[in-house]
Amino acid sequence: MTRTRSAEEKALRRRERSIAALEPWRVNGGHPLKVREMRTAINVLLAAKGLPIKACSKCHKLKATSAFNRYKSSDGFASYCRQCNADTHASRMATEPAYAERNRVWSLAYYWDHAEERRQYSLDYHRRNREANMVKNADRVQDPNVMKRCKGQCGRTLPETSFRLDRGNKDGLRFKCRDCADSSRRARTACRNAYGSPVGQPCYLCQKTFTSEVKVQADHLHPTSLGGADDAANLWWAHEYCNINRHARLLTPEEWDRVRSLQRQAASAPTQTKEPTP
């Protein structure tokens, strides 16, 4: 009888301890990961077993460690998963002006501090790709039975024989067909002879001033695919990105007024940088 009562008392005490341990879960919504101590204990246990799993402190879900950013913590990972971190950042950017301004200043400083590294990385990346493409396309020839879409203003789908070889590109061909490439060359010469160098002049689409001639194109105001000519009256300088995004879109009246004003100012300038004659 005594032994039975003792077993019953032990079971009762065990039950009471279990209820006491579960009480923080009930207080915090019935979820063990909402209790910081329990969440830490679970993360330590998972790490000790060598499992690549971690509990997020924000959404209270078990996720793979690949879903967390690296951080200088005891386990080497941030407490929030990437999704929760992104949601929190977006919410603060929308509701806290001081936080948004601090991030804007930091982003600009980081961008310019690492501009040279980014430029060098881009140059190395494209150089490696071009060298690999040169090897891959060493025996490349145009196949008249294979079609390719021109990325120039014509936008036509033509046989590969309509494109010049450029073995440094991925497919071994130039992006523009022969007609568009020749038209671009004539347009650039005519635009330079009429309006001078693009440096110091604005792009008529984004209105930003050119600081160099890199990735600057002479854009046809009236697209060549719609009958536009290569004469100076139908040309003005544009960034390569702006020109590609515009494609064959017709200009708005505001854009026409802007580009005509730019043409008149450039034509009346006292000094012109002409294209050297061969």
Side-chain angles (χ1 to χ4, degrees), residues 219-223 228-236 256 260 263:
D219 190 15
H220 293 82
L221 306 178
H222 189 67
D230 294 332
D231 60 302
N234 191 44
L235 298 169
W236 187 255
W256 275 112
R260 292 306 184 201
Q263 287 177 333

Side-chain angles (χ1 to χ4, degrees), residues 201-221:
Q201 303 195 65
C203 170
Y204 79 98
L205 292 171
C206 68
Q207 305 183 50
K208 294 182 180 179
T209 303
F210 300 111
T211 57
S212 69
E213 297 191 22
V214 178
K215 294 189 176 181
V216 178
Q217 298 179 347
D219 190 15
H220 293 82
L221 306 178

Side-chain angles (χ1 to χ4, degrees), residues 80-106:
Y80 286 8
C81 63
R82 289 196 184 94
Q83 185 60 48
C84 290
N85 192 34
D87 294 343
T88 303
H89 174 73
S91 176
R92 295 190 65 184
M93 289 288 288
T95 57
E96 302 180 23
Y99 179 83
E101 178 63 19
R102 187 166 64 252
N103 273 271
R104 187 187 69 82
V105 172
W106 179 86

Side-chain angles (χ1 to χ4, degrees), residues 151-163:
K151 293 187 178 180
Q153 282 206 347
C154 75
R156 296 177 296 174
T157 302
L158 302 168
E160 285 189 350
T161 51
S162 300
F163 297 82

Side-chain angles (χ1 to χ4, degrees), residues 1 29-30 41 62 71 85 88 105 120 125 147-148 151 167 172 202 204-205 230 236 245 274:
M1 186 72 177
L62 290 173
Y71 193 71
N85 192 34
T88 303
V105 172
Q120 190 60 44
Y125 174 81
M147 308 298 286
K148 174 182 169 74
K151 293 187 178 180
R167 293 184 171 88
Y204 79 98
L205 292 171
D230 294 332
W236 187 255
N245 279 353
K274 305 295 183 181

